[in-house]
Amino acid sequence: MTRYGHPGAPTRRDDEPGAALFALARAWAAGIVVLVAAEYVQATVVYEHVAIPERMETFGGRLLLVHIPDVVCLALATWAACRAHREPFRRSPPRHLAAAVAVPVAAQLLNMAVRWEHLAAEGLLMSNVVTAVGCAAGYLVSRLRDDV
């Protein structure tokens, strides 16, 4: 007899040793796929067709054409990672937060490492604000969706 009281009942996959890590990896994979797809759309639509040099000279132009679309991309990636992180692991707030924000934070750190010598104070500040706002927005949307 199994521990669930029925002969031949399968064991739960959540009890396996690597189940929590696999749930995190699945959430991160979903976040990466959504982030790459959203950034590709942003790069092909916004940067190639809308972001002309005259519009990028002002702070408002950069905010509208760079930072706000980045917030949307990061929020979508965070939301996708939250949705892909499955129960019962999503009940643990530290694990769920790690599953949600690891991809956007890693993308931000990679971006800063690659472009460090080209970053101005405005770019460094705004990219960190964009990451924080995008992660918070995606996480909150996921939490609101869970409550519904």
Side-chain angles (χ1 to χ4, degrees), residues 39-52:
E39 290 288 342
Y40 176 77
V41 170
Q42 178 186 0
T44 57
V45 173
V46 175
Y47 294 157
E48 289 185 11
H49 301 294
V50 182
I52 59 175

Side-chain angles (χ1 to χ4, degrees), residues 63-135:
L63 183 68
L64 184 64
L65 298 173
V66 175
H67 301 305
I68 292 176
D70 278 344
V71 167
V72 172
C73 292
L74 292 172
L76 286 172
T78 303
W79 178 75
C82 284
R83 300 308 307 158
H85 195 225
R86 65 183 178 88
E87 292 287 347
F89 306 108
R90 104 182 339 196
R91 286 188 223 136
S92 169
R95 283 185 184 169
H96 191 55
L97 195 59
V101 302
V103 170
V105 168
Q108 171 65 10
L109 292 174
L110 179 64
N111 184 32
M112 285 175 37
V114 169
R115 301 184 44 114
W116 183 254
E117 55 275 342
H118 301 294
L119 285 177
E122 175 193 332
L124 183 62
L125 175 68
M126 287 303 294
S127 65
N128 286 321
V129 168
V130 161
T131 302
V133 170
C135 288

